[in-house]
Amino acid sequence: MAIKVGSQAPDFTLKSKSASGLVDIKLSNNFGKKNTVLLFFPAAFTGVCTAELCSISGGMNDYANLNADVIGISIDTPFAQDAWAQKEKITIPLASDLNKEVIKKYDVVFPMLAGVGDTAARAAFVIDKEGVVQYSEQTPTPKDLPNFDAVKSTLAKLK
């Protein structure tokens, strides 16, 4: 069960691949400045994940206008995430939880996905500028997408 609304969001520092090399993505860098949408997804190069992240990338202005950054998190390596992002033109930052520490902190572990091993469940969180979870959703299955209308509605109330 994903962490609940009203909880303090667990902070993290994860690696991401950028044009300049590996960089750190730290949730608390947004505290006091912007709201943050965290999107946990099972795996790069899969159909539903590609559709989700491409859709979000295409609608980034919606989130920017709501004073929010969006971060995608999976257990893929930063190099695999970068190759996937380049192939699919995904523009949101992708953070690698290779050691599965953050998916455990947010309680969004999907056990034995397709018999391969534990991955991130598909989940969405809205974290406000103070670091408090304002929206929390783990989808029933990895094939289901989060309720992005509810995510945007929550952000609109926080502006």
Side-chain angles (χ1 to χ4, degrees):
M1 194 70 177
I3 60 172
K4 299 196 180 315
V5 170
S7 303
Q8 186 67 35
D11 197 12
F12 58 79
T13 302
L14 295 173
K15 294 294 183 191
S16 181
K17 174 79 172 62
S18 73
S20 61
L22 289 176
V23 296
D24 287 337
I25 293 182
K26 185 174 175 78
L27 175 63
S28 59
N29 284 348
N30 278 357
F31 295 177
K33 301 172 195 164
K34 283 187 160 194
N35 302 306
T36 307
V37 177
L38 299 180
L39 297 177
F40 289 86
F41 62 96
F45 294 102
T46 59
V48 177
C49 295
T50 299
E52 176 185 14
L53 278 287
C54 286
S55 174
I56 295 297
S57 291
M60 277 310 296
N61 284 340
D62 293 345
Y63 294 95
N65 291 337
L66 292 166
N67 193 33
D69 283 342
V70 180
I71 301 169
I73 301 173
S74 74
I75 64 162
D76 299 291
T77 69
F79 309 104
Q81 289 175 336
D82 184 55
W84 179 54
Q86 287 186 35
K87 178 181 184 287
E88 301 295 344
K89 299 182 178 33
I90 295 168
T91 58
I92 71 166
L94 300 176
S96 172
D97 187 23
L98 189 61
N99 294 324
K100 303 176 185 175
E101 294 170 3
V102 177
I103 64 172
K104 290 174 185 170
K105 287 181 184 179
Y106 281 79
D107 201 13
V108 292
V109 176
F110 191 92
M112 290 306 293
L113 179 71
V116 175
D118 295 351
T119 65
R122 192 170 315 281
F125 296 92
V126 174
I127 315 297
D128 69 18
K129 293 178 223 171
E130 285 72 48
V132 176
V133 176
Q134 297 296 327
Y135 180 84
S136 172
E137 176 188 9
Q138 179 177 332
T139 64
T141 76
K143 293 181 181 180
D144 297 313
L145 292 177
N147 182 343
F148 290 111
D149 289 338
V151 168
K152 290 176 185 175
S153 174
T154 300
L155 288 168
K157 294 173 190 167
L158 298 176
K159 279 179 91 174

